Amino acid sequence: MGLLTGKKALVTGASKGIGRSIAIRFAQEGADVAFTYLSSVEKGEALEKELEAFGIKAKGFRSDASDFAAADKLIGDTVAFLGGIDILVNNAGITRDNLLMRMSEDNWDEVININLKSCFNTVKAVTRTMMKAKSGSIINITSVVGVKGNAGQSNYAASKAGIIGFTKSVALELGSRNIRSNAVAPGFIETEMTAVLDEKVVQGWRDAIPMKRGGTPEDVADACVFLGSDMSTYISGQTLEVNGAMNT
Ligand code: NAP
């Protein structure tokens, strides 16, 4: 029996990177998994088959996380397919980095809408389902940058700091209904994106981390397994930093 056997989960932005690892680790632990993607259609369709191979129910939905009405439909479609939602992971996110002086209004709006408003969209839509079930675990993926800020990422840092405030507020509002709300804050995680960067630069980042390595998507996914599981039933309103002590 897996840590998530019998649970139904929805993970946004799972076509690649961290979200993909979360969906796979959830399926390995026995959860039925619905997930979303937007532009990576082939990768999304392939993941659905990969997840089904674990013997669980799996379905990918093409859905824009920043779209309020689409999120409402997504939650309805997921409940119709899985029969409920026990774990919601808001992982979909983007960066549009620039110094404040050069940052356009579009750069700002896009990042806030996809990273932060997306959390409002899905959490608002899933609340009724979780309240009826008298349980639920909401996991919002923030970032070390949301905790400490970062030059050249004021839009991203604001969106990720906003997620932390939102997560705590949801924990306070819904705690009496046995609905937990936590954030996971990854540090430097090595993904396809970082694999194409200059190795010397990346090694410099690794050297600056107390644990002397970048994190893996699986490191983040394991934290989500814990927060989604019954191993964490009295943990809510927290931000779990997964960063090799880089922010310590
Ligand atoms: P990634 O590899 O670029 O993957 C991002 C995922 O989000 C993709 O599946 C993408 O789907 C999806 N997505 C983007 N815009 C979307 C939208 N409007 N609607 C629905 N899905 C959308 O990124 P990652 O590195 O795995 O990051 C995942 C999360 O972790 C993000 O929230 C990020 O901010 C956070 N994080 C990452 C790191 C890191 O070092 N990698 C560190 C801290 C926090 P499509 O490709 O199909 O559009």
Side-chain angles (χ1 to χ4, degrees):
M1 185 153 140
L3 282 169
L4 302 178
T5 299
K7 298 211 184 278
K8 305 164 198 325
L10 171 63
V11 183
T12 68
S15 53
K16 54 192 178 193
I18 293 170
R20 178 182 149 80
S21 283
I22 296 170
I24 290 172
R25 284 291 293 118
F26 277 21
Q28 284 172 340
E29 293 296 338
D32 290 331
V33 180
F35 66 91
T36 69
Y37 53 90
L38 188 60
S39 53
S40 310
V41 178
E42 272 177 29
K43 287 184 178 174
E45 288 170 356
L47 179 64
E48 189 176 297
K49 293 199 175 62
E50 207 176 317
L51 295 176
E52 279 171 346
F54 290 104
I56 51 102
K57 276 179 93 169
K59 192 163 183 63
F61 294 98
R62 191 171 187 198
S63 182
D64 182 349
S66 66
D67 183 326
F68 182 77
D72 194 55
K73 182 175 185 310
L74 169 70
I75 297 295
D77 289 347
T78 302
V79 170
F81 180 73
L82 295 181
I85 300 177
D86 302 300
I87 310 167
L88 166 66
V89 184
N90 282 306
N91 166 79
I94 59 160
T95 52
R96 294 287 181 269
D97 299 350
N98 221 330
L99 292 173
L100 192 51
M101 277 179 68
R102 296 200 198 109
M103 189 175 288
S104 68
E105 187 183 358
D106 279 352
N107 291 159
W108 178 271
D109 288 345
E110 213 184 336
V111 167
I112 297 294
N113 287 336
I114 294 176
N115 296 5
L116 178 58
K117 187 184 172 213
S118 58
C119 296
F120 165 72
N121 292 344
T122 52
V123 171
K124 188 168 165 65
V126 86
T127 302
R128 196 160 10 111
T129 305
M130 287 187 170
M131 277 171 65
K132 249 169 85 183
K134 295 190 177 65
S135 82
S137 175
I138 295 162
I139 303 167
N140 299 317
I141 307 297
T142 176
S143 165
V144 61
V145 167
V147 179
K148 71 191 283 284
N150 197 21
Q153 288 198 306
S154 58
N155 51 356
Y156 184 76
S159 73
K160 294 299 185 179
I163 286 178
I164 294 173
F166 177 72
T167 301
K168 289 180 181 176
S169 305
V170 171
L172 294 174
E173 279 192 35
L174 301 180
S176 65
R177 310 301 181 115
N178 195 32
I179 298 171
R180 300 183 294 113
S181 168
N182 291 289
V184 169
F188 168 51
I189 306 301
E190 300 201 32
T191 60
E192 283 166 44
M193 239 162 54
T194 54
V196 298
L197 300 177
D198 183 69
E199 176 58 22
K200 268 196 192 135
V201 173
V202 173
Q203 191 55 46
W205 292 344
R206 292 186 194 117
D207 291 343
I209 296 169
M211 289 191 75
K212 301 297 168 205
R213 68 171 179 90
T216 64
E218 291 74 22
D219 288 325
V220 182
D222 284 341
C224 295
V225 168
F226 169 66
L227 289 173
S229 78
D230 293 340
M231 303 287 285
S232 59
T233 47
Y234 200 48
I235 299 177
S236 191
Q238 303 305 305
T239 299
L240 178 52
E241 298 195 26
V242 182
N243 62 21
M246 81 184 278
N247 200 25
T248 302

